[in-house]
Amino acid sequence: MALLRRTTTEKGERDLVQRITEGASATALLHERLAPTDLFSDPFEEAIDEARREIAAWEREGFQVIALGDDHYPYRLRDVFDRPPLLFARGAVLAEDDGVAVVGARSVSPAGRAIAEELATQLVRRNLAVVSGLAAGVDTAAHRAAIRAHGRTVAVIGTGIRRHFPPENRDLHREIAEHGAVFSQFWPDRAPDKSTFPLRNGTMSGYSLATIIVEAGERSGTRVQARKAVEHGRPVILMQSVVDETQWGRVAAGKPDVHVARSVDEAMTIVDGVLGRPRQLESLLSRLI
């Protein structure tokens, strides 16, 4: 926390995570960035005390502050190269949380909304969390359908956790925290901007077993999530309209572990196959031993 307050760029954060992952001491790195102790002050202790006060204030507001090395940091997210060093959360944080992302256009068609709702319902029936971004359109439809089905839903948002975007989803933000969890990788008061949503999409991909893209335009932010999921080695399921209506969807369809589904049933068959992969791997290994 003290280190991140003294790291002002996304590249700086990535470098910091890399150094700590490789075994560098956070304490030593913080000492490197501070003035030396003298007779009148101890910058290291002052930085640590400041961080403790901030964390305590956030926890009094009901936020959980989760660092990369914490036991309850989401373990699937921990495995990706661009994992955020710090998460803020509301709700029930599960380190082992099997979920599938359902994402897509903010200006969703009635058919796309129905697909998002049915996908969410089917995921809940399989005891999977419905992961989305709390945006308008597909995201809202998926979150609400998961709640109606009495399932777990997780929002990975593109703002600080004190903010509500879009504003009309303020109540949904609260409901998701009651039926699952809301995560943000940004400082609590961070406003949305052109950089926060692509970063959020990468984190959502890392959190999820797979990503389903319901409906999207040529310039949709969900193309970032499709690209990130491929980089993360996570399956992507494109509904047929995404391939039919976007150039990036047609290109993505040729990538490894990117699948095209013509219906909700086809999409869920692919999800079932993803869920069966650990058993297939165990069976393969048992034959090799």
Side-chain angles (χ1 to χ4, degrees), residues 12-282:
E13 287 189 4
R14 288 199 306 269
D15 291 345
L16 180 62
V17 170
Q18 185 64 31
R19 290 186 68 183
I20 291 175
T21 302
E22 291 172 351
S25 160
T27 299
L29 292 176
L30 182 57
H31 274 295
E32 287 178 9
R33 299 179 183 214
L34 297 172
T37 301
D38 57 33
L39 291 174
F40 305 102
S41 66
D42 184 339
F44 179 83
E45 287 301 325
E46 290 169 2
I48 295 298
D49 287 345
E50 179 186 6
R52 287 196 182 108
R53 288 194 298 272
E54 273 198 297
I55 291 169
W58 290 326
E59 290 177 341
R60 286 194 295 271
E61 287 187 66
F63 306 146
Q64 298 175 60
V65 185
I66 307 165
L68 179 58
D70 291 346
D71 290 340
H72 54 305
Y73 190 96
Y75 85 95
R76 192 169 284 109
L77 180 58
R78 193 192 304 266
D79 288 342
V80 301
F81 66 91
D82 50 356
R83 54 206 178 274
L86 200 66
L87 293 171
F88 296 88
R90 296 180 64 205
V93 174
L94 304 179
E96 298 187 24
D97 194 12
D98 290 336
V100 172
V102 179
V103 296
R106 296 180 183 182
S107 299
V108 63
S109 70
R113 186 181 303 277
I115 289 170
E117 291 173 345
E118 181 59 22
L119 285 168
T121 302
Q122 292 293 335
L123 290 169
V124 169
R125 288 175 182 167
R126 288 163 172 77
N127 293 317
L128 295 169
V130 176
V131 184
S132 200
L134 197 52
V138 167
D139 294 17
T140 294
H143 286 306
R144 290 200 182 282
I147 292 170
R148 285 197 301 271
H150 306 290
R152 176 174 169 83
T153 186
V154 172
V156 183
I157 62 175
T159 68
I161 203 159
R162 284 196 186 111
R163 298 220 173 216
H164 304 91
F165 185 86
E168 58 268 26
N169 273 357
R170 175 185 290 269
D171 289 342
L172 182 57
H173 182 129
R174 174 184 50 78
E175 290 179 56
I176 292 170
E178 293 171 354
H179 293 85
V182 178
F183 288 98
S184 171
Q185 67 200 83
F186 307 106
W187 299 116
D189 289 316
R190 176 77 177 268
D193 61 42
K194 63 181 181 181
S195 69
T196 59
F197 291 106
L199 290 170
R200 176 277 306 272
N201 285 115
T203 298
M204 198 191 318
S205 162
Y207 189 96
S208 305
L209 281 164
T211 290
I212 305 175
I213 300 180
V214 173
E215 195 173 87
E218 196 63 65
R219 298 180 63 81
S220 171
T222 53
R223 63 183 174 168
V224 174
Q225 186 148 341
R227 175 173 58 82
K228 281 293 187 180
V230 170
E231 292 175 359
H232 293 156
R234 303 283 164 82
V236 178
I237 303 168
L238 305 175
M239 299 308 294
Q240 185 67 52
S241 68
V242 178
V243 177
D244 291 342
E245 296 173 13
T246 67
Q247 176 63 26
W248 69 262
R250 290 187 286 276
V251 172
K255 301 287 186 181
D257 216 5
V258 177
H259 311 265
V260 180
R262 291 169 294 181
S263 66
V264 170
D265 286 345
E266 280 193 12
M268 294 313 302
T269 297
I270 297 165
V271 170
D272 289 338
V274 171
L275 295 175
R277 288 180 184 181
R279 292 191 295 274
Q280 294 167 8
L281 180 59
E282 288 175 8

